[in-house]
Amino acid sequence: MSALKIKKGSSKHSAYNLRPTFSDVQERHTLAVLVDNEPGVLARVIGLFSGRGYNIESLTVAEVDHTGHLSRITIVTTGTPQVIEQIKAQLGRIVPVHEVHDLTVEGHAVERELALFKVAGQGEKRVEALRLADIFRANVVDSTLESFVFQITGSPEKIDAFAELMRPLGLIEMARTGIAALSRGAE
Amino acid sequence: MTRAMTGAKMVVQALRDQGVDTVFGYPGGAVLPIYDEIFQQNDIRHILVRHEQGAVHAAEGYARATGKPGVVLVTSGPGATNSVTGLTDALMDSIPIVVLTGQVPTFLIGSDAFQEADTVGITRACTKHNWLVKDPARLSGTIHEAFHVATSGRPGPVLVDIPKDVQFATESYTPPSRAKLSHYQPQVKGDIEGITDLVAAMERAERPVFYTGGGVINSGPAASQLLRELVDATGFPVTSTLMGLGAYPASGENWLGMLGMHGLYEANLAMHGCDLMINLGARFDDRITGRIDAFSPHSKKAHVDIDPSSINKVVKTDFPIVGDIAHVLEDILKVWKARGRKVNREAVATWWSRIEEWRKVDCLRFKPSEKTIKPQHALARLEALTKGRPDRYICTEVGQHQMWAAQYMGFEAPNLWMTSGGLGTMGYGLPASIGVQIAHPDALVINVAGEASWLMNMQEMGTAVQYRLPVKQFILNNERLGMVRQWQELLHGERYSHSWSEALPDFVKLAEAFGCKGIKCDDPADLDDAIAEMLAYDGPVVFDCLVEKHENCFPMIPSGKAHNEMLLGEAETQGAIDEKGSVLV
Ligand SMILES: Cc1cc2nc3c(=O)[nH]c(=O)nc-3n(C[C@H](O)[C@H](O)[C@H](O)COP(=O)(O)OP(=O)(O)OC[C@H]3O[C@@H](n4cnc5c(N)ncnc54)[C@H](O)[C@@H]3O)c2cc1C
Ligand SMILES: Cc1ncc(C[n+]2csc(CCOP(=O)(O)OP(=O)(O)O)c2C)c(N)n1
């Protein structure tokens, strides 16, 4: 579990790290949730968000510890500080949830997303797409005479920017993984 | 040493090892192997209800009256879906129950097999946790884990779904001592720094009030004992939610009565005017707070709760303490004594004199009548004629009668009062009274009911008769859905849309048809004798108490109003709820 490199005991007891919770400001937080990898656990987490009316901007999940059968769910959500604290406390109540970490509060986390873009075009547009892909360090993972599939990783903002640029150049389809995030530093 | 046995046998063995003596249930195809095992043993008593919803409410009553988890066994499909209301009720009121459901065999799951339902899917939102057991080797361990989850931390309902082939399969049994319990271990000790801060605030407080809730009852008898010690030692006033009645005795000197929408004037004004509110195991429900921005505007608020999500959910807390009530109260007392048992005596005495002024309003007074039985009068008489008995358990249905019972009946100890607070489930009381009577066969168990609520699960009279359970069904029959009628009067221009009970049965004949005693009373002059007759009868009784049809329940804080905008009687109700308030329930 230490391989997961997430700080201990951050947010399970929301009561103890009281921030000014009753303000109206909407905040965007990235949460890392460590759960038992058992059937239905994702449904529990998603059911919590839908049942209580919380937002999900992005959600990714995969097993990260095969021997311990633990999965890591990374959720990007928005809400007032009070709602964010409630979300963390409510997540902490789910029985198969081991730890809830608010990466936004714990320090600037590294956030990365992977995306695939299919761009079709000929002539100038095709050359321009390739040139921009190079600037964004996107790789070509499939190509035909009329199309490319680019693979790009980076912050969600970078991927948004790339998508905007590709749109006029023949963007046909796009698939994004959602965010994976880790806190910075040795801890 | 491992013992090999079938899944069905394991279920019974696991229940036995968990100390279960009673199961409330209803059989069907998908649980027949378990019923076969139940047939072949005598340690666990099975109570056959008449509807699975009744089984769950009975288990809730049993749990609340004993402090032990209630256990339910039902079949797949309709058996499981019929348990959903009870599960939701238990979740809202933090009642520990374990529901075992049968499921179609694993190889048929997903095929729309006969009586298949996605039980764990359907109940995910109304259980604390649930499991579908597909591997017989994990069955006994899962059942032990289910009891652990239901009873630790904030208690609640859990469900274990057991496919029929798993019940037939043979595997080795895991006893509780070797079951691997999950990491789920809620924190029970409160943070001592936070506790010390709270004690310091208590020493200074000029207008303190204890606001206690169901969490004190959940925590167990030690919590009630410690609460009494702390209240009596500090001399602070204490009020309670509907769910916490009995934690502090109604005859206690510092008792203000229930607070909230239909709570007492003095309790609500004390909450409104206090400078230190100490919330012990209550959850700032909207029946309590009324308008949030006007809720106790000048107080610092402490909140002790075992569930971190309860804290700062509704009301901002100045002294948040996560922990079990008994543990935290013990530490509060320790710290307070060590610091010299200080309270601001003079200021608290002044505070009490203000409270005494509010008490003089006598908010529970009502106009008695010689012609019709006033519901309040009926309950005042029931109280007077039964209050000496330490083994008196009161259940209720949902509606006006429930509120009057909370107002006019006093509870001296925890676990004597069972009511559906959070979900407000009509039909809860009769089966709950059955569960209580099963747990305490010689006790006096009364269900204070409204006729409409009572009809919702009246089939359970069959259960009462079958098991010779002398439950007393005290029905305040106003021939109205009284609580609904009251709201229609106050905020829907007296248009009484579908809020009356027509075509009611003759309750005396109905009682007789079930094989129990029926009593009818409509004259205040006969009331005491009729109640005495009910109490003297050694068996189940349905008491049809015909009461005033248009009585409203006061005091009342209208929705969307603050504590100090409470209505005390009929004269004040005109236009009491504005448009904004009327969207609230
Ligand atoms: C028609 C109707 C009218 C009503 N009117 C009123 C009214 O006027 N007044 C009123 O009070 N209620 C009223 N209610 C009930 C109301 O809806 C709520 O159910 C009730 O107020 C909640 O009680 P509570 O705050 O004690 O919380 P509960 O629901 O009992 O919750 C218990 C709290 O304690 C915590 N807890 C549990 N175990 C422990 C432990 N071991 N240690 C520490 N904390 C623990 C839990 O996490 C939870 O936060 C009414 C209900 C109905 C149906
Ligand atoms: C299952 C369910 N359906 C509807 C309601 C809404 N409701 C709350 S109180 C009430 C009327 C209850 O009437 P009765 O049992 O006769 O009690 P009274 O209020 O007359 O004392 C209704 C319909 C509810 N609480 N539960």
Side-chain angles (χ1 to χ4, degrees):
Chain A
M1 232 163 81
S2 58
L4 299 174
K5 300 267 190 243
I6 43 183
K7 279 187 213 130
K8 277 262 167 266
S10 62
S11 50
K12 258 208 148 169
H13 299 294
S14 64
Y16 289 131
N17 49 11
L18 262 185
R19 302 185 294 119
T21 49
F22 284 71
S23 104
D24 289 336
V25 185
Q26 291 281 323
E27 296 180 352
R28 184 168 172 278
H29 283 238
T30 304
L31 310 178
V33 188
L34 207 59
V35 300
D36 286 322
N37 184 11
E38 62 180 34
V41 66
L42 191 58
R44 282 179 215 285
V45 169
I46 293 173
L48 170 68
F49 278 76
S50 63
R52 293 188 185 262
Y54 306 143
N55 299 316
I56 299 183
E57 286 201 349
S58 157
L59 183 141
T60 59
V61 57
E63 192 170 73
V64 288
D65 177 350
H66 294 293
T67 44
H69 297 290
L70 291 175
S71 291
R72 182 173 170 127
I73 302 177
T74 307
I75 305 169
V76 181
T77 181
T78 51
T80 62
Q82 185 225 355
V83 167
I84 302 279
E85 292 307 312
Q86 260 300 299
I87 291 175
K88 290 188 274 180
Q90 293 290 352
L91 284 167
R93 282 170 96 190
I94 298 178
V95 171
V97 166
H98 288 242
E99 293 175 32
V100 180
H101 290 269
D102 186 337
L103 298 178
T104 307
V105 169
E106 288 175 19
H108 299 283
V110 185
E111 299 192 353
R112 290 293 179 270
E113 196 176 354
L114 184 145
L116 297 173
F117 288 84
K118 183 175 282 180
V119 181
Q122 282 163 346
E124 252 324 283
K125 285 191 172 172
R126 186 171 160 86
V127 176
E128 181 63 5
L130 207 53
R131 203 178 64 81
L132 286 169
D134 193 42
I135 295 172
F136 275 78
R137 292 200 204 122
N139 300 323
V140 177
V141 290
D142 176 67
S143 60
T144 67
L145 290 176
E146 296 96 49
S147 70
F148 290 121
V149 174
F150 296 117
Q151 171 191 312
I152 178 171
T153 53
S155 68
E157 293 75 24
K158 175 179 162 185
I159 292 173
D160 288 343
F162 188 64
E164 278 317 302
L165 291 171
M166 285 301 119
R167 228 174 280 285
L169 299 178
L171 177 61
I172 289 180
E173 209 180 347
M174 149 167 82
R176 297 175 68 152
T177 58
I179 289 170
L182 282 182
S183 61
R184 290 177 195 269
E187 277 280 277
Chain B
M1 193 195 72
T2 55
R3 279 186 293 161
M5 58 179 86
T6 63
K9 221 182 187 71
M10 272 190 225
V11 169
V12 174
Q13 187 58 40
L15 294 181
R16 202 180 277 132
D17 286 348
Q18 288 293 336
V20 173
D21 52 23
T22 308
V23 171
F24 301 91
Y26 207 85
V31 279
L32 284 182
I34 301 174
Y35 270 86
D36 203 28
E37 289 300 330
I38 286 181
F39 188 81
Q40 300 175 52
Q41 56 85 51
N42 286 316
D43 301 338
I44 295 169
R45 187 172 182 210
H46 178 275
I47 305 298
L48 179 71
V49 293
R50 298 299 183 267
H51 185 293
E52 289 86 351
Q53 184 187 352
V56 185
H57 293 322
E60 287 185 273
Y62 177 94
R64 196 62 159 185
T66 60
K68 298 198 294 181
V71 181
V72 173
L73 174 62
V74 298
T75 192
S76 68
T81 54
N82 272 350
S83 74
V84 165
T85 300
L87 286 167
T88 312
D89 191 86
L91 185 73
M92 290 291 270
D93 285 347
S94 303
I95 308 293
I97 56 170
V98 177
V99 176
L100 307 175
T101 50
Q103 182 55 278
V104 300
T106 49
F107 51 85
L108 286 181
I109 289 178
S111 69
D112 296 327
F114 177 64
Q115 294 196 330
E116 179 183 0
D118 176 8
T119 301
V120 287
I122 290 169
T123 61
R124 198 170 281 133
C126 60
T127 51
K128 187 174 168 189
H129 195 57
N130 61 16
W131 297 260
L132 167 64
V133 183
K134 287 183 172 171
D135 176 1
R138 298 179 69 166
L139 177 58
S140 38
T142 303
I143 295 174
H144 299 316
E145 168 82 356
F147 277 86
H148 169 68
V149 171
T151 53
S152 31
R154 180 179 186 163
V158 299
L159 180 145
V160 184
D161 200 21
I162 312 172
K164 198 169 179 184
D165 54 336
V166 172
Q167 298 170 32
F168 277 123
T170 300
E171 259 296 344
S172 63
Y173 174 77
T174 313
S177 56
R178 288 202 294 110
K180 205 173 113 309
L181 296 186
S182 70
H183 64 97
Y184 181 77
Q185 301 289 350
Q187 169 181 347
V188 292
K189 284 287 271 186
D191 170 55
I192 203 73
E193 258 174 59
I195 289 175
T196 310
D197 289 349
L198 169 58
V199 169
M202 287 167 62
E203 292 167 353
R204 288 189 308 268
E206 298 181 352
R207 302 181 310 279
V209 65
F210 285 110
Y211 151 42
T212 63
V216 185
I217 315 272
N218 286 137
S219 182
S224 294
Q225 213 42 55
L226 290 160
L227 173 69
R228 288 156 195 230
E229 195 187 323
L230 184 64
V231 169
D232 295 344
T234 55
F236 292 176
V238 53
T239 177
S240 166
T241 65
L242 184 74
M243 298 310 290
L245 297 178
Y248 186 82
S251 62
E253 243 181 70
N254 298 0
W255 177 237
L256 299 181
M258 182 175 82
L259 82 162
M261 180 176 269
H262 292 290
L264 272 65
Y265 185 71
E266 49 269 40
N268 284 324
L269 285 197
M271 288 286 280
H272 190 79
C274 67
D275 70 344
L276 177 66
M277 174 188 300
I278 306 164
N279 172 341
L280 301 172
R283 55 183 174 81
F284 290 112
D285 186 84
D286 52 62
R287 296 302 85 159
I288 303 305
T289 59
R291 214 176 90 207
I292 288 281
D293 59 2
F295 174 65
S296 192
H298 308 297
S299 61
K300 293 272 182 208
K301 297 172 187 76
H303 190 178
V304 184
D305 201 297
I306 202 159
D307 180 353
S309 79
S310 285
I311 295 179
N312 283 326
K313 179 168 65 179
V314 182
V315 169
K316 185 176 167 328
T317 308
D318 303 283
F319 303 99
I321 297 171
V322 176
D324 165 60
I325 296 296
H327 284 81
V328 173
L329 281 178
E330 202 177 354
D331 284 342
I332 291 178
L333 271 161
K334 234 185 254 164
V335 173
W336 181 71
K337 285 177 185 165
R339 289 168 56 110
R341 301 168 175 265
K342 284 178 283 201
V343 291
N344 191 341
R345 299 252 166 239
E346 227 171 279
V348 173
T350 314
W351 176 226
W352 268 112
S353 54
R354 270 176 75 187
I355 292 173
E356 291 307 334
E357 287 304 310
W358 294 327
R359 271 190 175 154
K360 284 187 196 143
V361 167
D362 191 13
C363 67
L364 292 185
R365 75 191 182 287
F366 58 91
K367 268 191 242 115
S369 154
E370 278 178 12
K371 282 204 257 14
T372 58
I373 301 177
K374 290 278 184 146
Q376 303 96 320
H377 175 67
L379 289 176
R381 292 315 302 155
L382 184 66
E383 167 74 357
L385 295 170
T386 59
K387 103 185 201 187
R389 294 190 56 165
D391 62 343
R392 184 198 71 178
Y393 293 80
I394 303 292
C395 302
T396 76
E397 301 287 348
V398 170
Q400 292 177 317
H401 62 277
Q402 175 189 26
M403 294 298 110
W404 283 317
Q407 294 171 341
Y408 291 90
M409 307 198 77
F411 300 93
E412 295 299 310
N415 306 97
L416 295 175
W417 163 250
M418 344 282 136
T419 195
S420 168
L423 196 64
T425 310
M426 294 170 69
Y428 164 89
L430 165 50
S433 71
I434 286 175
V436 176
Q437 191 83 71
I438 291 281
H440 303 292
D442 300 323
L444 171 61
V445 182
I446 303 172
N447 175 33
V448 174
E451 80 294 338
S453 295
W454 194 81
L455 288 177
M456 283 210 179
N457 269 323
M458 66 161 185
Q459 77 285 349
E460 298 304 331
M461 275 326 281
T463 311
V465 172
Q466 177 179 346
Y467 295 96
R468 299 175 201 282
L469 304 171
V471 290
K472 314 298 184 214
Q473 304 300 319
F474 193 70
I475 302 175
L476 296 179
N477 184 353
N478 53 10
E479 298 173 14
R480 300 287 182 282
L481 313 186
M483 187 59 96
V484 171
R485 195 207 64 81
Q486 175 166 347
W487 281 58
Q488 289 171 335
E489 178 180 334
L490 295 182
L491 56 97
H492 292 280
E494 302 180 42
R495 290 178 295 278
Y496 298 119
S497 181
H498 300 272
S499 58
W500 65 93
S501 297
E502 227 176 75
L504 281 172
D506 177 329
F507 285 98
V508 172
K509 279 192 189 148
L510 185 68
E512 285 161 7
F514 271 114
C516 52
K517 185 177 177 68
I519 298 174
K520 180 174 174 168
C521 182
D522 59 3
D523 184 344
D526 300 336
L527 184 62
D528 275 23
D529 287 346
I531 292 176
E533 186 186 352
M534 171 181 87
L535 297 174
Y537 184 72
D538 182 19
V541 177
V542 178
F543 190 116
D544 183 14
C545 189
L546 289 157
V547 295
E548 164 65 46
K549 300 186 199 328
H550 304 112
E551 195 72 10
N552 283 333
C553 182
F554 292 110
M556 175 176 184
I557 303 176
S559 327
K561 296 279 181 183
H563 277 182
N564 58 351
E565 298 173 275
M566 170 165 241
L567 307 178
L568 288 171
E570 303 290 349
E572 307 171 35
T573 57
Q574 285 297 322
I577 303 180
D578 55 26
E579 238 175 276
K580 224 167 124 200
S582 64
V583 302
L584 302 168
V585 285

